[in-house]
Amino acid sequence: METISNIFHNDPLPPLGARANQSIKLRKFIISPYDSRYRTWETFLLVLVVYSAWICPFELAYLRNLSWKTFLVDNIVDSFFAIDIILTFFLAYLDRKSYLLVDDPKRIAARYLSSWFVFDVCSTIPYQLLGKIFKKHENGLAYRLLSMLRLWRLRRLSELFARLEKDIRLNYYWIRCTKLISVTLFAVHCSGCFNYLIADRYPNPAKTWIGAAIPNYRSESLWVRYVTAIYWSITTLTTTGYGDLHAENPREMLFSICYMLFNLGLTAYLIGNMTNLVVQGSCRTRNFRDTIHAASHFAARNQLPEHIKDEMLSHICLRYKTEGLKQKETLDSLPKGIRSSIACNLFLPVIEKVYLFHGVSFTCMLQLVTEMEAEYYPPREVVILQNEAPRDVYILVSGAVVSAIII
């Protein structure tokens, strides 16, 4: 057992890749990234990331004076991310060259300090608490803008979607759609909050986009002001432009210009991704239809008999239906040892029931099954012609064979 363990640890690329590291015993006080408790902690932090992404622009735009409840919740959330910074110094990481977990504390610390440490600290500093300490800047815009650094935490969501897209247990199409919808909603929310902030800070409220439509808008409820800002953001993003809400001063015009330029890239990103998803979903069916048309034209151009044309089309339809199985492609991509094991599991019980192989040695049958392949034939398809030189042996697993002479 000791020899096997040493070989496993010294191998530059373990056969099982990253999954093999899940059972390795790490040094004391070092956390494995595959630990279920740490995975739960990461999931909990993702919930806090979503909260931070929504509340940061909202507080900046609408809440000039934070209530003690909001202030307390924000600082509690920041404290959780501060704890995560400390835990990261004890978190083993996967070496991209050797695919082994690194549990050396010095290497872990050096890697973290040279990567995201500074950004994580800047996004965790309680700037609002500092504003409370320096009374004259309690409601200053500078501390509120610094609080927007908490949006750096969104990189965790980006990493989450990257992992989910590679998870074969989940549907890739719906993961991509969820990501695109999330990006769109976040862009709409941020732009609406920033545009309201510009209007709320303008000296003349009547000469703002919201003041021109809703006089004394500050007396309206928070819900009405937020929905109005989101309405402006969506109509601008979708280029609908009803004209009821529009820029009234140079500040708002400048922001609208920047937002519309940003929308060009965002719209291209959304349309490109959605087009790619639709094309991927319809590409297989389109190729099938093109193949059917090509086969039909080929039969008509060469004046083939009707039964041969039917055989061609039946074979193409069966190949389309069984394409999802991809048995041959999957087996060909595997090492010979694994292919042999699979062949024994799939085909050995079949040939043991065949009368022709009764009495044949087990070693001989093992050699036979490694050369066997599964094939599918549609009804009435010609498998072998009379007097044709035999090259293959067929074992019928399901269906029936009818002897016929085709002239």
Side-chain angles (χ1 to χ4, degrees), residues 251-270:
R251 296 183 188 178
E252 295 175 352
M253 293 178 184
L254 182 61
F255 176 76
S256 298
I257 292 173
C258 296
Y259 183 46
M260 286 184 283
L261 291 176
F262 168 78
N263 286 341
L264 294 177
L266 179 61
T267 304
Y269 171 77
L270 295 175

Side-chain angles (χ1 to χ4, degrees), residues 161 173-189 237 266 269-270 273-274 277:
F161 280 112
Y173 177 83
W174 291 113
I175 294 298
R176 291 293 297 177
C177 288
T178 303
K179 181 179 180 179
L180 296 177
I181 293 173
S182 301
V183 170
T184 305
L185 292 178
F186 178 70
V188 168
H189 172 70
L237 175 65
L266 179 61
Y269 171 77
L270 295 175
N273 278 270
M274 292 304 298
L277 292 176

Side-chain angles (χ1 to χ4, degrees), residues 1 8 39 86 91 137 155 163 190 194 197 203 221 262 264 339 347 372-373 375-376 379 397:
M1 292 300 293
F8 179 80
R39 291 292 191 182
I86 299 174
L91 179 66
H137 297 295
R155 69 177 179 85
R163 292 199 303 267
C190 287
F194 291 151
L197 174 66
S221 65
F262 168 78
L264 294 177
R339 291 202 307 267
F347 305 129
M372 294 180 66
E373 294 181 0
E375 293 189 10
Y376 302 88
V397 177

Side-chain angles (χ1 to χ4, degrees), residues 85-254:
I85 292 177
I86 299 174
L87 290 178
T88 306
F89 282 99
F90 300 91
L91 179 66
Y93 68 91
L94 189 67
D95 190 344
R96 296 301 178 184
K97 295 182 179 180
S98 64
Y99 285 85
L100 296 175
L101 282 178
V102 177
D103 59 353
D104 185 1
K106 293 183 179 179
R107 292 181 61 184
I108 294 173
R111 177 177 180 269
Y112 185 42
L113 290 173
S114 61
S115 56
W116 308 125
F117 173 74
V118 175
F119 299 97
D120 289 343
V121 171
C122 292
S123 64
T124 309
I125 296 175
Y127 297 102
Q128 295 175 354
L129 179 60
L130 296 178
K132 292 285 186 181
I133 296 175
F134 301 100
K135 297 295 185 180
K136 61 179 181 179
H137 297 295
E138 182 176 354
N139 296 322
L141 187 60
Y143 287 100
R144 292 177 174 273
L145 290 174
L146 287 174
S147 297
M148 292 295 294
L149 292 174
R150 288 183 288 180
L151 295 180
W152 164 254
R153 301 166 185 171
L154 285 172
R155 69 177 179 85
R156 295 174 181 268
L157 281 181
S158 178
E159 294 171 355
L160 171 66
F161 280 112
R163 292 199 303 267
L164 294 179
E165 290 173 0
K166 299 174 184 177
D167 194 332
I168 61 175
R169 298 170 297 179
L170 304 176
N171 188 289
Y172 177 80
Y173 177 83
W174 291 113
I175 294 298
R176 291 293 297 177
C177 288
T178 303
K179 181 179 180 179
L180 296 177
I181 293 173
S182 301
V183 170
T184 305
L185 292 178
F186 178 70
V188 168
H189 172 70
C190 287
S191 60
C193 292
F194 291 151
N195 198 38
Y196 179 85
L197 174 66
I198 294 173
D200 192 49
R201 297 283 177 168
Y202 196 71
N204 186 3
K207 292 291 293 182
T208 60
W209 66 272
I210 190 171
I214 307 176
N216 300 322
Y217 65 90
R218 290 174 180 169
S219 61
E220 296 289 340
S221 65
L222 186 61
W223 171 252
V224 172
R225 288 178 284 160
Y226 178 71
V227 170
T228 304
I230 296 299
Y231 168 76
W232 170 88
S233 181
I234 292 179
T235 54
T236 304
L237 175 65
T238 57
T239 67
T240 303
Y242 291 115
D244 50 350
L245 298 175
H246 54 83
E248 294 284 347
N249 57 70
R251 296 183 188 178
E252 295 175 352
M253 293 178 184
L254 182 61

Side-chain angles (χ1 to χ4, degrees), residues 326-348 365-374:
K326 294 185 180 299
Q327 293 195 59
K328 190 175 186 307
E329 293 85 348
T330 303
L331 290 174
D332 290 343
S333 64
L334 296 174
K336 185 177 180 180
I338 300 179
R339 291 202 307 267
S340 300
S341 300
I342 295 175
C344 290
N345 185 71
L346 293 178
F347 305 129
L348 187 59
M365 287 195 295
L366 287 180
Q367 294 177 347
L368 288 175
V369 295
T370 57
E371 303 297 329
M372 294 180 66
E373 294 181 0

Side-chain angles (χ1 to χ4, degrees), residues 303-321:
Q303 299 180 356
L304 297 179
E306 193 67 24
H307 69 273
I308 296 181
K309 176 183 176 182
D310 291 340
E311 289 178 4
M312 292 172 55
L313 299 182
S314 298
H315 178 76
I316 294 173
C317 291
L318 181 64
R319 188 176 63 183
Y320 172 77
K321 294 178 181 179

